[in-house]
Amino acid sequence: MIHRRILSVAVFLILFSTSLVAQPDADQSRIARVENGLVTPVLVKGGKTWNILERMKFYNVPGVSVAVFSDNRIQWAKGYGVMDVDTGLPVTDRTLFVAGSVSKPVAVMGALRLVEEKKLSLDRNINEYLTSWKLLDNDLTKKAPVTLRLIVSHNAGMTIHGFPGYAQGEAVPTVVQILDGVAPANTEPIRVDLEPGTRWRYSGGGITIMQLAMADVSGRPFTEIMRDKVLGPIGMTSSSYEQSLSPERLALAASGHDGSGHVIAGKRHIYPEMAAAGLWTTPTDLAKFAIEAGLSARGASNKVLSTAMAKLMVTPRMATTEGDSMALGFFVETHGTLAYYGHGGADAGFICMLIAQREGGYGAAIMTNSDGRPMPLIREILRSIAGEYGWDGYLPAPVEVITLNPAVLDKSTGRYRLGSDNVLTVRRDGDHLTARESVEEEFQLLAVTPSEFIRTDRDTRYSFPPEGDRAASVVVRSPDRTASAQRMHNILFAPIEQLRLGQIDDAVEGYRSIRKGNPQDDAVNENRLNNLGYRFLGEKLYDAAIALFALNVEFYPASWNVYDSLGEGYMNRGDRQLAIENYERSLKLNPKNANGEKILEKLKGMK
């Protein structure tokens, strides 16, 4: 269920205060320029900038913590907003956040330390080191064994992308139970379903196998290994993979929040998949880690790894499917001619980012206590830091926009079909154009020529038809796609538009027609229909939401989640019996759907 609420006045006021714990010699004017210099992905000459607190409010992010480093030292660290919207306690540089997948490169450094100690090997079968559990062999692993090198570069053909964690009060499985996908684990078994070494695919499951191998070969808990081999030597004194927080650490721990600004159930989840998602830390400690990784790779510090081994963490090994490269543990992306290494992280209620320039000894760590829309905010903060501290190649060159006569703007207005269920609607708003794709928020289009426009929230350009050509297409260009969108007649509508117009039956037939023509069309993808359904559910357009959820049941009857969503749709509309029937079908297909079980019990208890 999607919840919405407005923060209380007290919390609103706290959000507009900050907690500064900077280095004693920190340049306050530089900090102020960073705080007031947040900018869009596409820079416009003379364009406006934002204040960090304004953007926290805009994105509904309760708390942010930032650490900036350059010249291989931390320049300043500062907290903004609150740890918990209910308590109103302020974020400081000592506030603890869970790092999500940024836990992975830190854990990989620990595994590589064990390689240097001859306890593990990068290139031998990982099963040689596992004693408490074995990865099941199959025809794929017989062709090529799973090795640590493949695991830490996400090239081992392993399943399970990420982990949802366990809410407070839920039964927590052992690592072995997680690997086999048996109760109370809430994820499927971790197996090999692609030939190892043939394709990049991100896998938190593989990193969890690494965690167990580290414990098996050391005869010690993973938390102790990481404390003694990595966290302690680097001086990450606020960091720990322990999931049971002491009273002292609990007092410093932020609470996770959902996209609507609510504290998540139990405040924070437990992650027995510690190496993949369970590091509790601060931006300051993550900055120390990034600095050490860079110094080690350059031979200037070797607190954990040798120079040769550290280089493997920041040297691209293979391309990913996301346009960057993968080293051992870190992602590596190129800006201009320079390489930046880092990792992002997302756990229930938390999202963060760590990035550093490979040769320059500068970068930043940013952590938030929201899993709603903090990533655009994080990137805005990073661009402000990059501009203030002169990160080479990181920011794009600014573009110059022009002003057009309204009569010229009117020639580009209209509706353009981007896909079978995606329509670009362009309208004039005073002296400029605004546009919207079917499932997006409206955005402004700025002219760079009389026929070419840009948007500032992403690197996308729109080339409109020549003057007078009302039937021609608009060409949409971005780094990852070039699409031609035909102008639509005023009486023709895509299914998603029909849903908004209340033409439910016509929309349903439209989706059926799309699927009949091409079952692989993204418009009828299970996840897309499910997400659209929840969008309409959040807008209280219950009939439209239920129509989409019901289509998913029709199209994907073997999926437990489609019944769960349809049950939620009926529950929100007040159709109790239909909600019960669909939750029961969901649980029949997936008895491990604990949330569905709770809702079903509640529904049956109603009179």
Side-chain angles (χ1 to χ4, degrees):
M1 183 184 299
I2 296 178
H3 302 276
R4 299 183 185 277
R5 78 170 182 186
I6 299 173
L7 296 179
S8 68
V9 173
V11 173
F12 176 84
L13 292 174
I14 292 172
L15 278 172
F16 274 74
S17 65
T18 63
S19 175
L20 170 63
V21 189
Q23 299 298 321
D25 59 347
D27 188 333
Q28 301 300 316
S29 62
R30 302 196 80 173
I31 297 173
R33 286 195 293 271
V34 168
E35 293 171 337
N36 292 287
L38 277 64
V39 290
T40 58
V42 176
L43 305 184
V44 174
K45 288 183 180 179
K48 70 169 291 186
T49 61
W50 296 297
N51 174 272
I52 186 172
L53 298 174
E54 295 172 348
R55 300 307 276 172
M56 288 173 65
K57 182 177 178 233
F58 176 80
Y59 290 117
N60 198 18
V61 176
V64 176
S65 186
V66 179
V68 175
F69 56 97
S70 63
D71 300 322
N72 300 303
R73 63 186 291 269
I74 296 169
Q75 299 299 318
W76 56 272
K78 188 170 180 179
Y80 305 85
V82 295
M83 297 167 55
D84 184 305
V85 296
D86 294 330
T87 67
L89 293 173
V91 173
T92 75
D93 73 329
R94 297 182 64 224
T95 300
L96 298 173
F97 296 77
V98 65
S101 289
V102 182
S103 308
K104 292 180 175 71
V106 182
V108 168
M109 182 177 278
L112 297 182
R113 172 67 178 267
L114 295 183
V115 171
E116 295 208 297
E117 293 177 357
K118 309 299 183 185
K119 293 179 180 178
L120 289 172
S121 166
L122 275 172
D123 298 309
R124 297 183 68 86
N125 191 325
I126 195 68
N127 269 338
E128 296 182 22
Y129 304 97
L130 291 164
T131 57
S132 55
W133 177 87
K134 296 289 184 183
L135 176 64
L136 288 180
D137 280 322
N138 56 29
D139 291 340
L140 297 170
T141 60
K142 289 175 183 176
K143 291 181 181 179
V146 171
T147 67
L148 181 61
R149 190 188 300 271
L150 296 181
I151 286 173
V152 300
S153 57
H154 299 281
N155 190 27
M158 307 294 298
T159 59
I160 306 300
H161 181 277
F163 299 98
Y166 298 84
Q168 298 292 329
E170 288 186 334
V172 177
T174 65
V175 172
V176 170
Q177 287 173 324
I178 293 166
L179 296 176
D180 281 331
V182 299
N186 57 14
T187 49
E188 297 299 312
I190 296 168
R191 301 289 185 259
V192 175
D193 66 354
L194 295 172
E195 183 179 339
T198 61
R199 177 177 154 192
W200 184 87
R201 185 178 67 185
Y202 191 81
S203 173
I207 298 298
T208 307
I209 292 175
M210 179 195 80
Q211 173 184 325
L212 185 63
M214 293 172 67
D216 280 354
V217 299
S218 300
R220 302 176 64 199
F222 172 77
T223 53
E224 293 181 7
I225 298 168
M226 291 304 301
R227 180 195 65 200
D228 295 344
K229 304 291 186 183
V230 178
L231 306 179
I234 294 176
M236 298 171 67
T237 54
S238 293
S239 302
S240 174
Y241 281 91
E242 295 283 357
Q243 297 302 291
S244 179
L245 302 179
S246 67
E248 294 77 17
R249 289 178 62 76
L250 191 61
L252 295 172
S255 298
H257 299 75
D258 62 25
S260 299
H262 289 86
V263 176
I264 64 172
K267 297 186 180 291
R268 49 195 75 87
H269 282 192
I270 296 169
Y271 291 89
E273 312 92 349
M274 293 174 281
L279 177 65
W280 279 94
T281 187
T282 65
T284 296
D285 271 11
L286 290 183
K288 291 178 182 179
F289 167 68
I291 291 169
E292 176 62 23
L295 288 173
S296 293
R298 298 191 297 275
S301 177
N302 303 105
K303 295 176 181 176
V304 179
L305 299 178
S306 67
T307 298
M309 190 65 77
K311 281 183 177 179
L312 296 178
M313 291 194 70
V314 297
T315 302
R317 181 175 183 270
M318 65 183 305
T320 74
T321 57
E322 299 167 0
D324 49 17
S325 299
M326 191 80 227
L328 301 193
F330 280 120
F331 288 93
V332 182
E333 57 190 41
T334 301
H335 294 272
T337 60
L338 298 182
Y340 287 76
Y341 60 92
H343 212 293
D347 275 350
F350 296 89
I351 290 180
C352 64
M353 176 67 73
L354 171 66
I355 189 167
Q357 204 281 311
R358 192 168 61 192
E359 287 81 25
Y362 56 82
I366 302 172
M367 307 190 81
T368 74
N369 59 350
S370 169
D371 62 11
R373 294 198 298 155
M375 191 51 74
L377 171 65
I378 288 172
R379 296 197 182 281
E380 289 175 11
I381 298 170
L382 284 175
R383 286 191 290 273
S384 184
I385 295 169
E388 174 61 31
Y389 285 86
W391 291 9
D392 293 334
Y394 194 84
L395 294 178
V399 297
E400 190 161 356
V401 301
I402 61 175
T403 300
L404 297 177
N405 186 289
V408 176
L409 294 175
D410 286 338
K411 292 179 171 60
S412 299
T413 60
R415 293 163 56 249
Y416 302 83
R417 187 182 286 276
L418 278 169
S420 54
D421 195 40
N422 190 11
V423 177
L424 175 70
T425 302
V426 181
R427 65 181 183 87
R428 182 168 66 84
D429 184 8
D431 61 354
H432 64 271
L433 293 180
T434 59
R436 172 180 181 159
E437 293 188 24
S438 295
V439 295
E440 287 190 342
E441 300 298 324
E442 196 169 56
F443 54 88
Q444 190 176 67
L445 287 175
L446 302 176
V448 293
T449 74
S451 61
E452 187 173 37
F453 294 74
I454 62 169
R455 56 190 295 182
T456 58
D457 61 330
R458 69 177 61 163
D459 185 10
T460 304
R461 291 183 176 242
Y462 299 80
S463 298
F464 286 92
E467 183 177 345
D469 189 351
R470 301 293 294 177
S473 302
V474 59
V475 178
V476 183
R477 294 185 179 88
S478 65
D480 57 355
R481 72 165 179 167
T482 297
S484 181
Q486 192 76 25
R487 192 188 294 271
M488 295 177 66
H489 195 282
N490 288 337
I491 64 172
L492 297 178
F493 297 95
I496 190 171
E497 293 179 304
Q498 292 171 321
L499 287 173
R500 290 202 175 278
L501 292 169
Q503 300 169 5
I504 306 295
D505 292 341
D506 291 338
V508 168
E509 287 306 314
Y511 284 117
R512 286 174 178 154
S513 179
I514 291 170
R515 191 167 190 267
K516 183 177 180 180
N518 178 14
Q520 304 306 314
D521 194 310
D522 184 62
V524 290
N525 174 274
E526 178 188 343
N527 289 334
R528 180 180 185 270
L529 292 176
N530 193 64
N531 290 336
L532 283 179
Y534 275 103
R535 178 184 289 264
F536 284 115
L537 198 63
E539 296 174 13
K540 297 186 179 180
L541 298 174
Y542 299 126
D543 290 345
I546 288 170
L548 288 165
F549 293 145
L551 272 172
N552 250 354
V553 167
E554 177 183 327
F555 294 163
Y556 305 98
S559 169
W560 68 269
N561 191 55
V562 299
Y563 297 99
D564 183 277
S565 297
L566 183 55
E568 186 168 349
Y570 282 130
M571 178 177 68
N572 277 268
R573 198 172 69 176
D575 297 327
R576 175 172 165 270
Q577 189 54 44
L578 288 173
I580 289 173
E581 290 174 9
N582 280 280
Y583 275 114
E584 286 177 337
R585 291 172 185 167
S586 173
L587 286 163
K588 186 174 181 180
L589 289 168
N590 179 20
K592 292 192 290 187
N593 180 11
N595 183 62
E597 189 173 16
K598 290 178 184 177
I599 293 175
L600 181 61
E601 184 178 348
K602 181 179 178 180
L603 285 168
K604 288 184 174 180
M606 294 179 178
K607 294 184 179 179

